[in-house]
Amino acid sequence: MDAVTSMVCASGEFGHCDFGDGRRNVRAIRIASDLLSSVGTPVSSTCGRSGAQAVSRFFDNPRVTDESMLGGHKVQTRVRCGNVSGRILALQDTTTLDFSSRTALDGLGPTSTSKNPSGIMMHSVLLVTEEKVPLGVLGLRLWCREPADHGQKHERSKRHTMEKESAKWLWGLDEVSKDL
């Protein structure tokens, strides 16, 4: 994607975000534009060393959350949904972000039953048309499992659905219901 197209796309998706400071809003658009223009390359290669540090500082800011990042995109997703004449499908998926090789990272949780797995769990809701045209992500939830709860599979049936990870499916349905 060329630089102009990536800037237009990034402005459309992140122009309605609120990070509490106009400079942060501009930074989000710049980061997204840079990453869109070089999909698949490391941030340090895309933005350079000082740019990668700026990206890191941006994401370290407490005003930059998964919800604040997704806010503008949700606005654009609703606009795209309004232009669809057929049915819209809400596809939910849970993904494991595996950081097992990054032993210096704190706060990660177990991701599987293999030896020393660690990472972040991510559940998302993607809206698509019947023709499989993506409209946008309407919900995104990140969490780390508690290490103390790892290996307690036999206890799961004793807990209410809303106390289990399977509540994510109901959360996803709620995200679609409240936003459309």
Side-chain angles (χ1 to χ4, degrees), residues 82-94:
N83 296 326
V84 173
S85 58
R87 285 189 289 188
I88 296 171
L89 307 174
L91 310 177
Q92 296 190 53
D93 183 49
T94 304

Side-chain angles (χ1 to χ4, degrees), residues 60 97-110 117-121 143-147:
D60 279 343
L97 305 173
D98 185 4
F99 293 99
S100 297
S101 63
R102 305 292 179 119
T103 56
L105 289 176
D106 290 327
L108 302 175
S118 63
I120 302 169
M121 303 302 294
W143 74 95
C144 292
R145 292 175 172 153
E146 290 295 326

Side-chain angles (χ1 to χ4, degrees), residues 128-145:
V128 299
T129 66
E130 289 179 290
E131 294 78 28
K132 301 179 186 120
V133 175
L135 300 169
V137 175
L138 205 55
L140 180 73
R141 186 174 174 200
L142 301 165
W143 74 95
C144 292
R145 292 175 172 153

Side-chain angles (χ1 to χ4, degrees), residues 40-101:
T41 60
V43 174
S44 57
S45 297
T46 302
C47 306
R49 184 180 170 115
S50 63
Q53 289 174 337
V55 169
S56 181
R57 281 192 306 272
F58 174 80
F59 285 109
D60 279 343
N61 190 293
R63 294 295 301 260
V64 179
T65 64
D66 49 345
E67 270 307 308
S68 66
M69 287 295 298
L70 205 52
H73 177 69
K74 283 183 172 183
V75 169
Q76 292 303 105
T77 299
R78 284 191 288 275
V79 168
R80 286 187 287 269
C81 287
N83 296 326
V84 173
S85 58
R87 285 189 289 188
I88 296 171
L89 307 174
L91 310 177
Q92 296 190 53
D93 183 49
T94 304
T95 302
T96 300
L97 305 173
D98 185 4
F99 293 99
S100 297
S101 63

Side-chain angles (χ1 to χ4, degrees), residues 34-46:
D34 288 348
L35 295 176
L36 280 170
S37 65
S38 56
V39 172
T41 60
V43 174
S44 57
S45 297
T46 302

